[in-house]
Amino acid sequence: MRNVVIIGSGCAGNTAALYTARANLKPLVISGHEAGGQLSLTTLVENFPGFPEGINGPDLVENIRKQAEHFGAEYMHGAVIDTDLSKRPFRLNVEGEWMEARTVIIAAGASARWLGLESEQKLIGHGVSSCATCDGFFYREKEIMVVGGGDSAMEEANFLTRFGKRVTLVHRKDTFRASKIMLDRAKANPKIEFLMNTAVEEVFDVTKGEVTGARLRNLVTGDIFDRPVDGFFVAIGHIPNTHIFKGQLDLDPDGYLLSHGGARTNILGVFHAGDVQDRVYRQAITAAGAGCMAAIEVERLLEAEGH
Ligand code: NAP
């Protein structure tokens, strides 16, 4: 029986591990399919406080893991494929093996939705990004492309005009999911050019290991054309990793965990941390903070229960 099992090993999960380990709770972290979370997909992180020169995303998340292990946190490869949260102790199935836990911290994250092109996947971290806040700074006076037609795409496109020479927003329709205010703001921005009814066919240049352009297709005329770009940002939504909790935990219509205050879910003893619940901030530092909050809640609950 574990005091606390942490699902996810990104910034939120590893920070929760650090805090619960220092509280002598011997946490077990289930790393998940994307060990290290979204930070492991980025390159230089310049906005995590404490690193004046910046730090590589994978190094940052690995450092927090080492820090947690130093205090006794254990890590297990694999993913949680099923859960029974109907009563305590909770039961978790990790790749076919059931285990029991007094408390659970869900820090399973949200995965960026990608277009799914092979070239896009190969260039993630080398010019292809899903996070303007993280990577926009690298594209000063450069050509930037943003894909998507929702609020995220508008927000990212607007934000990226602070850096780029021009931002081309590519959207597959001529209508937008974005709210009027966000869309109006983007349309009023002289540095943003809209390419509607347009799909991305390919991102160049995998052989060079950097983004040099994109091949686009006009979905109305069928015309195929290339555009030189330096930074390629995909902003077509995120998918919270909560499918295994459906029917057990309160989720919003998009699948994000609903908070019941602090780090609490609707089930006593099950806590949330990071992007699995946060659809607004989604930063490494806010995820780390949320991991800390969840850990403190676990500590207090177990203490109150005499464990
Ligand atoms: P979203 O509203 O779901 O929009 C996703 C966009 O990506 C849609 O335009 C969609 O196109 C497009 N898309 C999806 N899959 C695609 C694919 N395979 N290829 C090309 N395009 C694709 O997602 P979001 O913009 O991330 O917003 C999510 C939620 O967060 C929303 O509720 C939003 O209001 C909120 N949000 C709010 C703010 C803010 O208020 N500051 C900022 C960001 C996000 P179609 O329309 O053709 O389906």
Side-chain angles (χ1 to χ4, degrees):
M1 161 87 72
R2 291 278 175 172
N3 282 316
V4 53
V5 171
I6 297 165
I7 303 176
S9 58
C11 220
N14 284 357
T15 305
L18 169 62
Y19 271 75
T20 48
R22 284 195 80 248
N24 222 6
L25 294 172
K26 300 199 171 12
L28 175 68
V29 181
I30 314 297
S31 297
H33 287 307
E34 291 171 20
Q38 291 193 60
L39 271 184
S40 61
L41 299 177
T42 61
T43 47
L44 193 62
V45 177
E46 292 180 312
N47 53 10
F48 199 93
F51 299 94
E53 311 294 327
I55 180 166
N56 271 318
D59 292 345
L60 173 58
V61 76
E62 180 61 19
N63 283 350
I64 310 175
R65 173 189 167 133
K66 283 187 193 146
Q67 207 174 344
E69 284 176 325
H70 175 71
F71 292 105
E74 285 177 53
Y75 282 74
M76 188 185 214
H77 287 296
V80 176
I81 55 171
D82 197 5
T83 56
D84 178 5
L85 306 177
S86 60
K87 56 183 184 304
R88 295 175 75 192
F90 304 119
R91 296 178 70 238
L92 307 172
N93 184 331
V94 184
E95 313 268 345
E97 196 183 311
W98 285 94
M99 63 177 67
E100 291 186 335
R102 290 192 174 98
T103 62
V104 174
I105 294 175
I106 301 172
S111 304
R113 184 179 279 131
W114 297 102
L115 296 170
L117 303 167
E118 202 180 320
S119 51
E120 165 207 55
Q121 293 298 302
K122 287 192 169 149
L123 290 166
I124 291 172
H126 302 278
V128 170
S129 170
S130 60
C131 178
T133 319
C134 318
D135 299 326
F137 188 78
F138 301 117
Y139 301 98
R140 276 191 185 282
E141 290 307 309
K142 298 275 173 79
E143 286 284 346
I144 298 175
M145 186 167 281
V146 175
V147 186
D151 281 337
S152 294
M154 300 309 138
E155 189 170 66
E156 302 229 329
N158 263 315
F159 177 76
L160 288 164
T161 59
R162 293 187 201 181
F163 309 103
K165 185 162 60 183
R166 176 171 57 175
V167 174
T168 306
L169 189 130
V170 174
H171 178 39
R172 64 185 176 183
K173 290 190 188 138
D174 60 1
T175 53
F176 291 89
R177 272 198 224 184
S179 53
K180 188 174 179 317
I181 185 165
M182 303 280 281
L183 180 61
D184 287 349
R185 204 175 289 154
K187 282 190 167 164
N189 189 325
K191 281 172 107 179
I192 301 179
E193 182 198 346
F194 282 76
L195 283 182
M196 266 103 85
N197 294 315
T198 302
V200 180
E201 299 267 291
E202 200 174 342
V203 189
F204 302 121
D205 186 334
V206 172
T207 51
K208 287 189 180 150
E210 62 178 348
V211 170
T212 59
R215 175 154 297 165
L216 306 171
R217 184 160 53 96
N218 184 307
L219 295 169
V220 177
T221 63
D223 284 352
I224 291 180
F225 56 104
D226 292 349
R227 269 290 178 98
V229 287
D230 306 292
F232 184 88
F233 288 81
V234 180
I236 60 173
H238 282 77
I239 306 168
N241 299 314
T242 54
H243 54 281
I244 52 170
F245 310 113
K246 219 172 173 183
Q248 304 188 75
L249 291 173
D250 290 349
L251 307 176
D252 77 8
D254 293 324
Y256 286 87
L257 284 175
L258 279 177
S259 184
H260 282 246
R264 292 183 293 280
T265 67
N266 56 304
I267 295 180
L268 179 74
V270 179
F271 301 93
H272 59 73
D275 289 10
V276 74
Q277 177 270 327
D278 171 18
R279 56 189 302 155
V280 179
Y281 304 106
R282 301 198 278 235
Q283 300 301 299
I285 186 66
T286 50
C292 163
M293 287 166 63
I296 289 174
E297 301 242 17
V298 160
E299 201 184 325
R300 289 184 181 161
L301 178 67
L302 291 176
E303 172 81 27
E305 291 176 342
H307 296 298

